[in-house]
Amino acid sequence: MTFRAQWDTFWGNSDFPMKTLFIVLSAFLAARVFPADYVQTLEVEYPDAASARAASVEPAKLPGGAVAAFSSRWDDTTYAHSKMADVFKNAGMKATFMLTKADEKFCNTCARKILGCGFAVGSHTITHRLLPEILPNEAFRETLAQRIMLESALDVPVVAFALPGYAADHPFYADAPRLVGECIARSGYQVQAALWSDNDKKYSLPEGTLLSSHLFNINDRDPKEALFEKKVSAALAAQGRDGSPHMSLGVHSWQSGAGMAELERILKKHRRADFWYCTQNEYAAYARQLEGLKISPARASGNMARFELSRVSARHIGDDVALEVRLSGTPARVRLDGVEIFPSESGLYRLPHRADMLSPRRIAAVENSGNSPDFSESPEKFPEISGGLHADMGKGKISLVIKNSGSEPLENCGVVFRLPPYFSEGAKSFDFPKLEAGGVERIEFNLPAKGNFKEAEAGDFYFAAQFDFLRGGSAGRIYFASVLEGGEAMLPRPRDAAVFAGPVDGRLVSDSAMAEISAPGAALKNFGGSPEHKWLPCRRDKGARPFQIAPFSGDPAWAKAASKNRYSPKFSRIVALDFKTRKKNFDVFADFKNVKSLWLNGKKLETPKTGSRLSASGNAGANRIAVEYAQSFWTTISTPLSVSESGDPFDSAEFSRPASAGGAAR
């Protein structure tokens, strides 16, 4: 039975107290190109019938006939963005601000100012953790939940994404880029400006899934005009090679007052009339419009030519930016859906979306934090609409119930289900015309098969259903989310068992000290009495991959003592771990470019300068490893370490925490 037949069956059967729609999941794959979902009529009146018969419509590749789209990205949640917004407003350009978790005060002040300037916000994940270093479920929640939080807090679509630390790769896990890309795509983002200019290739996504940009930086603290000129020229040259017309300036609002003034001067001086200065939302929305646009051949009657334009509604693509077209000949008069429109200075005609096809004006979210099958709740913004999402992993089904208790129908309804990377398929959608006043809609379908990402069953599962609708002529959106508690990765692992000391002055890290630290069974002695000289448990992040260790502490005393030398290259972080193996021979996995020295059972091993794998020989039984790490920024936050007899870092040895001698000092 087709979807239409299923819908008609349930809609027309008055014996059903609620309409239940059972969907075969594979029939609703998320399309790469958004399908056209409404039609507008373009009427072009010419001076003569011959011109009408020869009439044609050509969509502009970029608004205004521009040769390139110029956007910018400014990362993190910081009040310095307010000054950056002033810079771009004064320069007559636009900016997109990629936010991490933002509290109510920030949203109501800085973020509102950003939006009031005509700029956009994008997502930089909730906590800025590097996605390849955390569990697949956690990575998905970081990407999708941040989009939901920003949209519902600010009532604007969020379709631009910035990857924390530009990190898509992992030294142990070749499939990390594909996982990262899946999380981004499944969350509904449309564009990302990164260090590479082809997101689909980087992430092994189907062509056209995630729009890209040529990203460049001209120094976040001391902007350089010569660098700006060089980078813009390079972006235009790259555009000539790959056909991508999008360039982005970034990436941090770290400039001093003088730096902000200099950046504004540079932007004003080099502003070009043939560039389209846009937000990343606008760029994505315009590009997606072009992909889904269909224009019928002209139907001429006398000196009038009529075209039917099948278009993608703005609710799908993140912004209301108008389509622009060039008309053949010299039109005397042009109407869009009966309303006269006029050419711009460039000779192009702007075709705004129909009023009922604009992006959402109000956005809310409801979360079923316990994944209860009986959960139903109304968001404050839409008290007359209630519902709940529930995933039943045992039965392999997911269901969404929506109730309209209001006095008017919800029209032009659509739902996109967004599923975590545990599943082989990630985004499923369908549309239905109306939910009547007092009506209830139940949507249920079989979850897809399990995918092949490692450790995708660990951590909490995050599901969401994006419900879009039209009420009283205004577009709205509600996210119905559900959280299902998942399993823990096998314990104990390095994440849970490692201890560290540091920052430690490199002069204290002698060969004899490291030999003593790495002796199996020996109690660890502190380097001194100060908090940073004592052995402490590595900070445990239950959302991290089990082989990721975090050599820092949340203890305020440690943070204060470590602050002066926390990233000093003259100091080190020392990590120690006990483990057991059945065999004498095994592999040690680490990000060796950040390893100063590695000791096993009292002996120093010769380590590679790059790479991630080292074959070693130890004891069949108890072993201890001690690693001296250089204090690069990301290494002090999270770094991978594992030992495996099978050659697979995911299949690790059994780890345990080394005993400490307490207050003793070496």
Side-chain angles (χ1 to χ4, degrees):
M1 182 182 291
T2 65
F3 170 79
R4 183 71 253 177
Q6 288 176 327
W7 174 258
D8 288 341
T9 297
F10 291 115
W11 181 268
N13 191 338
S14 59
D15 294 332
F16 276 76
M18 64 172 65
K19 301 182 299 298
T20 304
L21 199 60
F22 296 95
I23 303 173
V24 179
L25 199 62
S26 60
F28 292 89
L29 297 176
R32 174 177 68 84
V33 177
F34 289 102
D37 54 0
Y38 78 103
V39 176
Q40 288 184 296
T41 300
L42 185 67
E43 298 175 303
V44 186
E45 183 179 336
Y46 285 95
D48 55 77
S51 296
R53 289 193 299 272
S56 64
V57 177
E58 180 185 358
K61 293 182 179 179
L62 292 173
V67 299
F70 185 105
S71 72
S72 63
R73 62 167 266 196
W74 304 102
D75 293 1
D76 308 324
T77 293
T78 167
Y79 284 94
H81 287 335
S82 178
K83 296 179 180 178
M84 186 62 75
D86 290 336
V87 167
F88 273 78
K89 183 178 180 180
N90 294 340
M93 298 183 184
K94 291 193 174 183
T96 306
F97 295 86
M98 305 299 188
L99 305 181
T100 50
K101 187 175 182 179
D103 60 20
E104 185 176 1
K105 179 182 177 182
F106 184 90
C107 289
N108 289 337
T109 54
C110 190
R112 288 295 175 194
K113 175 180 177 178
I114 288 168
L115 297 173
C117 291
F119 302 158
V121 296
S123 167
H124 200 32
T125 74
I126 301 172
T127 65
H128 203 280
R129 288 180 292 176
L130 303 187
L131 297 186
E133 297 182 353
I134 58 180
L135 295 167
N137 276 328
E138 193 74 7
F140 182 63
R141 186 169 185 171
E142 282 275 335
T143 53
L144 177 55
Q146 177 66 351
R147 181 187 180 205
I148 292 173
M149 285 190 285
L150 289 174
E151 288 196 3
S152 58
L154 299 170
D155 291 313
V156 292
V158 173
V159 297
F161 183 79
L163 187 64
Y166 307 113
D169 299 288
H170 192 283
F172 295 1
Y173 188 35
D175 217 17
R178 186 172 70 90
L179 170 62
V180 170
E182 279 289 323
C183 289
I184 298 169
R186 291 175 187 226
S187 297
Y189 296 105
Q190 300 302 318
V191 61
Q192 175 193 255
L195 294 180
W196 45 87
S197 58
D198 189 337
N199 286 319
D200 296 335
K201 182 178 179 180
K202 177 67 177 180
Y203 296 134
S204 300
L205 293 169
E207 183 180 354
T209 298
L210 187 62
L211 298 168
S212 304
S213 181
H214 301 288
L215 176 66
F216 64 94
N217 183 303
I218 61 169
N219 194 317
D220 284 336
R221 300 188 187 278
D222 184 17
K224 303 295 185 183
E225 182 176 3
L227 198 55
F228 182 90
E229 294 174 319
K230 178 181 178 181
K231 295 292 187 178
V232 169
S233 296
L236 288 171
Q239 174 181 326
R241 294 189 297 270
D242 61 25
S244 174
H246 185 204
M247 69 178 73
S248 300
L249 169 66
V251 294
H252 295 106
S253 299
W254 291 347
Q255 293 82 359
S256 64
M260 289 285 186
E262 175 63 5
L263 178 59
E264 182 176 323
R265 185 194 69 79
I266 293 170
L267 295 177
K268 286 179 176 178
K269 179 179 177 180
H270 294 279
R271 194 178 191 283
R272 294 176 51 156
D274 59 348
F275 276 18
W276 176 39
Y277 294 98
C278 59
T279 68
Q280 292 192 18
N281 278 25
E282 289 172 330
Y283 173 75
Y286 197 86
R288 294 309 192 201
Q289 283 190 77
L290 289 183
E291 292 174 353
L293 178 67
K294 294 181 180 179
I295 303 174
S296 71
R299 290 185 291 111
S301 177
N303 63 347
M304 180 73 72
R306 290 180 175 83
F307 300 88
E308 299 294 319
L309 279 66
S310 298
R311 300 186 62 180
V312 180
S313 65
R315 82 177 187 190
H316 293 309
I317 54 181
D319 193 90
D320 297 336
V321 61
L323 178 69
E324 297 192 15
V325 300
R326 189 176 301 280
L327 302 176
S328 62
T330 308
R333 195 175 188 186
V334 180
R335 298 183 186 88
L336 180 67
D337 289 341
V339 178
E340 188 168 4
I341 58 175
F342 302 91
S344 64
E345 292 181 1
S346 63
L348 297 171
Y349 288 82
R350 296 180 69 255
L351 310 184
H353 286 282
R354 205 169 69 197
D356 61 342
M357 292 294 165
L358 297 175
S359 58
R361 288 334 192 226
R362 300 180 75 190
I363 304 176
V366 170
E367 183 174 296
N368 180 5
S369 58
N371 193 45
S372 168
D374 302 316
F375 176 88
S376 182
E377 190 173 292
S378 298
E380 289 185 11
K381 294 177 185 178
F382 301 102
E384 70 286 357
I385 304 173
S386 61
L389 180 69
H390 170 66
D392 190 331
M393 296 285 278
K395 294 181 179 179
K397 293 183 180 294
I398 188 168
S399 59
L400 172 68
V401 177
I402 307 170
K403 181 177 181 180
N404 178 16
S405 300
S407 59
E408 56 186 330
L410 306 179
E411 300 178 300
N412 194 23
C413 300
V415 178
V416 180
F417 291 88
R418 304 196 179 279
L419 308 178
Y422 175 86
F423 301 101
S424 58
E425 302 167 34
K428 310 300 168 188
S429 63
F430 75 95
D431 299 323
F432 57 96
K434 185 181 293 187
L435 179 55
E436 295 286 1
V440 178
E441 185 69 46
R442 179 182 176 88
I443 306 161
E444 183 173 292
F445 57 81
N446 295 327
L447 289 165
K450 183 180 183 297
N452 58 1
F453 290 119
K454 288 184 178 290
E455 298 178 326
E457 70 286 346
D460 294 340
F461 290 80
Y462 188 75
F463 300 85
Q466 175 185 322
F467 174 48
D468 286 287
F469 56 90
L470 195 69
R471 187 189 63 171
S474 180
R477 173 177 294 169
I478 302 175
Y479 285 98
F480 294 98
S482 186
V483 182
L484 173 63
E485 185 176 347
E488 279 272 16
M490 184 184 69
L491 299 177
R493 299 285 289 276
R495 176 192 65 189
D496 314 294
V499 296
F500 82 100
V504 176
D505 191 321
R507 291 171 295 184
L508 299 178
V509 189
S510 63
D511 283 358
S512 60
M514 292 298 290
E516 183 180 347
I517 291 168
S518 64
L524 295 175
K525 296 180 181 179
N526 295 328
F527 283 90
S530 183
E532 80 276 24
H533 289 158
K534 296 179 179 180
W535 289 100
L536 297 170
C538 287
R539 187 177 185 275
R540 185 177 187 271
D541 175 1
K542 73 173 187 177
R545 293 279 192 182
F547 47 57
Q548 291 293 142
I549 57 173
F552 70 97
S553 173
D555 183 351
W558 176 87
K560 182 178 180 180
S563 61
K564 181 179 179 180
N565 299 306
R566 191 164 186 172
Y567 306 116
S568 171
K570 296 181 180 180
F571 286 67
S572 302
R573 300 289 169 95
I574 316 299
V575 169
L577 268 169
D578 285 348
F579 64 93
K580 291 182 179 179
T581 54
R582 297 183 304 274
K583 304 174 183 177
K584 293 176 60 177
N585 297 321
F586 42 78
D587 291 311
V588 178
F589 292 87
D591 189 1
F592 284 107
K593 69 177 183 294
N594 296 313
V595 172
K596 288 185 175 181
S597 67
L598 186 148
W599 293 72
L600 177 66
N601 300 337
K603 297 180 180 180
K604 186 176 183 179
L605 303 185
E606 185 175 345
T607 58
K609 293 183 178 180
T610 59
S612 61
R613 185 172 180 172
L614 173 67
S615 295
S617 180
N619 301 324
N623 297 270
R624 179 177 292 174
I625 190 171
V627 186
E628 180 189 6
Y629 286 102
Q631 290 200 131
S632 64
F633 175 78
W634 287 112
T635 300
T636 65
I637 295 174
S638 177
T639 190
L641 180 63
S642 187
V643 175
S644 174
E645 296 178 72
S646 67
D648 180 358
F650 289 88
D651 178 25
S652 73
E654 179 184 343
F655 287 89
S656 60
R657 181 168 294 170
S660 173
R666 60 183 64 260

